[in-house]
Amino acid sequence: MDGVPAGVPRVPEQRRPGSAPESPGPVEPAGPAGAVSPVPLRFSVLGPVRAWRGDEPIATGSPQQRALLAALLLREGRTATAAELIDALWGEEPPSQALAAVRTYASRLRKVLDPGVLVSESGGYAVRDLADGALDLAVAQDLATEAEKARTAGDLCHARDVLRRALALWDGETLAGVPGPYAEAQRVRLEEWRLQLLESRLDMDLEQGCHAEAVSELTALTAAHPLRERLRELLMLALYRSGRQAEALAVYADTRRLLADELGVDPRPGLSELQQRILRADPGLAEPSSPAPEPASTPVRPAQLPATVPDFTGRSAFVRELGGLLAAAEGRVMAVSALAGIGGVGKTTLAVHVAHQARAAFPDGQLYVDLQGAGARAAEPETVLGSFLRALGTADAAIPDSLEERAALYRSVLAGRRVLVLLDNARDAAQIRPLLPGTDGCAALVTSRVRMVDLAGAHLIDLDVMSPDEALALFTRIVGEERVASERKAALDVVAACGFLPLAIRIAASRLAARRTWTVSVLAAKLADERRRLDELQAGDLAVKATFELGYGQLEPAQARAFRLLGLADGPDISLAAAAAVLDLPAEETEDLLESLVDTSLLESAAPGRYRFHDLVRLYARACAERDEQPPGERDAAVSRLLDFYLASAAGVYAIERPGDRLVDHLAPTAYPGLRFDDRHTAQDWLYAEAICLLACVRQCAGRPDTLPRAIDLLWAAHDLSESGANAKEYEATAEALLEAARLHDLGRAEARALTTLVNVHHVGGRFERADQEAERAILLAQEADDLLPVCWARNARGIIALYQNRHEDGEEHLSRAIEHFRALGDRPGEAAALCNLSRIHLATGRTASAVALARQGIDIYDGMGNSLRGANARYALGLALTQSGELGDAAGRLQEALEVFRDSRQRLWEGMSLFRLAEVDLAARRPAQAAANAEMALTVLRGIGGEWRRGNVLTVLGRALSGIGQTGRAQVCWQEAAVIYEELGSPEAAEVRALLTPVRAA
């Protein structure tokens, strides 16, 4: 950052008499002779003064004895005279027997330490012969030096990680409980060094784009050290880069006022200059280099390129041309596209081959994505950016939600790095523009079916079919020289029949290579039918279909069936277990079939246990299914089995996360089984890994009345996806599509259940009015269909929504009826959920004791069933009640328990809300600095989820906390933003926030 020293601070020198250390004199043996202990000693001074032999603690005696040990340890092997030690322990007023006491302390320490460690010489003492890393301060000094070297070399990720390790060595106050003037001076010295290290690490956090996460920590630090201007400067920059310019300027105003009041001085020039740069919106302030909130010890270097084919042939002119451009990359963008959009011409193969050859020119990594541009649902740029940012080391919590913010962060991450980005199968220029690096040193290779004439600055290459010589060379490399040499004319007929298209040649040659009894002439005869030949005058799609027909026609019956049916499944890829469901075969047999299709180049292995079609091959496979699959009903049956597999598996995830919950008993029955999970984490991993394919299957099944009810139930069972933030938008769009389909087919029961999923979506998104309307409609339809569970869920939702809207009487009625309905169904977890929500109604209406009792009832039910996730919701409710009853310690304990479960279960909404409630507890306990830190973390976690009303609540509490630590300018900005949110929503909280602003304005 401009004007800030880039180095890592070194520990300040100690002040000691004399200009040079004493030369060692004759050393008196200390302690009895004997072998050195094989277990090394360890000492700590960055906290309480302690000693260990291995992992066993050693008694270090009285406070004065620990003061003597600390004084010797901090002299780093130099001798301390008796007079110096007396001065260190007692200062100018030592006791009359001070010298005797020093000797006694030294003698006691000799007895517990190893021989030769505490030595006497020249009338003084020293600690010698410690192993490397024996003193925590020395370790911290070494780590700080390593961090300085890494930062100088430009390796900020490693520097940050090393500084984190150094700072983690502090365990509370330095030299805690140690008396004496020497210990006090060292405490000040080492605390100053710790703060300098912390500032250096925070500075690197900001350089790497971790501004949102840094705000919380900096807010707490500025509260603890209000006059430390460097921390204020970092806070201003973090807020500015987080899009909170008004708060950043408010920090300056607060600092200026505080310095004037406390010290009678103005802010230092660096702080004033930063304020001016913020006012000018200086572009230089918004250019961090590369975010890595949780970096590894080395920078993340993605290596995502698919494997290059070993028999790559021809294209030498294109390889040289592209290779030269990549080697001299200076922010250049290159596009590789096919003339007229012909598939199978080798765009991806060429791009991957060139990218592999150019890897040395891009030492910071290579990114790859299939943009699915030729399919019905091309990849969304914001989804791709999220994947790229994660691959570059950015944590999920640090990834913004909007396309523009992700694109900006992506360019910032790549700044100063040399990364190659391969964007395969792009739909058009608009899709890839946000994905292009923005700085010199990076490069992009783009493949597409269309010629991207509207991609500014791109180097365009029209990739045609191979020349006859190249085509024959490729065919020969796959089949073998011996078989081709004797039948050169037949080989030329084969590649000509393939239209010299690389994909067609590869498919035909692979089949011949796998059949040793065939001759090249046999293959040529099979391809003699003109309907199977590529005609250069035909439309591209027809040519592609004819090409794929070559490989499909040579498949064994079981392979052909697998090829046809797998093409019916939507989604970017498919897991082995899901494919087994589609084919209705055991997993082992399914894997053999899929691997054989991979061998024919008709299927790709996306990752271990996952497979995918080229998008054009998928279209062809579906056409084959419509034409060849007998009986015709088998197509629908295959998709139905896939739906059953996802529904049964999602139900298993739900059941293992929420033991005793009756939802799984009310889902549509399935004819095909799902996966079984051994533990909650494995189940969660499956759900989030399959989220895109699962939602694609749900959408695919929305058009048929026989599969629509199961599709809706699958969405209901997977409703965790709507609360995690990662898949919330896709989940909502899918739920809307299912609701429309249910209404189109006039399926009242299905519509009620679809509405129930949408109620949760709108509730999580903070759209309470719409959620309430959908819930009301769901209740009517579910009652008509005699489907009680949606009634229960919708009643419960209407109760909590009424609480948010201050309609407490309505809320109590809805929740009371929900409790009755849940009890009628024997749904104990549902009953507990309604009891906890009713607890909040009681709390809002002043019935604190009954609120606590209701929440405890909920906890008892959940704990009795081993339901930790829902139990966290109950602890959240109890934490609120205990806060209002003044039992703040217990309240914080329950909320912390809830927070840990929500975080472990990837429930971002409730993780953020628990942090918000902890901030409220901190405020009530008069811990405004901690309240501000928790509120800042809540804002970070809730980005893109929870809705504006919840954001307004967090901002209000954050303003109160900031006001409590004297940052009234920032507090005002937070309240102003909250007031705007409430007024736009028409929320009654607007008046409360305006009242908070009034005294500030009056002042």
Side-chain angles (χ1 to χ4, degrees), residues 137-160:
L137 175 59
V139 175
Q141 290 171 321
D142 291 341
L143 289 171
T145 301
E146 182 181 349
E148 183 175 10
K149 291 178 180 177
R151 185 169 191 177
T152 302
D155 191 350
L156 294 184
C157 287
H158 184 57
R160 283 177 67 210

Side-chain angles (χ1 to χ4, degrees), residues 552-594:
Y552 175 67
Q554 298 173 38
L555 294 177
E556 301 295 339
Q559 291 176 313
R561 174 180 179 269
F563 176 74
R564 293 191 301 268
L565 294 183
L566 289 175
L568 298 172
D570 282 348
D573 60 4
I574 192 168
S575 67
L576 176 60
V582 172
L583 302 181
D584 197 17
L585 292 173
E588 295 81 3
E589 188 175 345
T590 299
E591 185 174 20
D592 290 342
L593 280 172
L594 269 56

Side-chain angles (χ1 to χ4, degrees), residues 94 137 158 362 653 762 898:
L137 175 59
H158 184 57
F362 299 93
V653 175
H762 296 316

Side-chain angles (χ1 to χ4, degrees), residues 275-316:
Q275 182 222 18
Q276 292 301 312
R277 294 179 68 188
I278 291 174
L279 287 170
R280 296 194 307 267
D282 185 341
L285 292 179
E287 295 178 358
S289 58
S290 58
E294 294 296 334
S297 59
T298 58
V300 178
R301 296 184 177 91
Q304 296 184 338
L305 294 178
T308 187
V309 293
D311 48 27
F312 181 85
T313 304
R315 310 297 197 190
S316 55

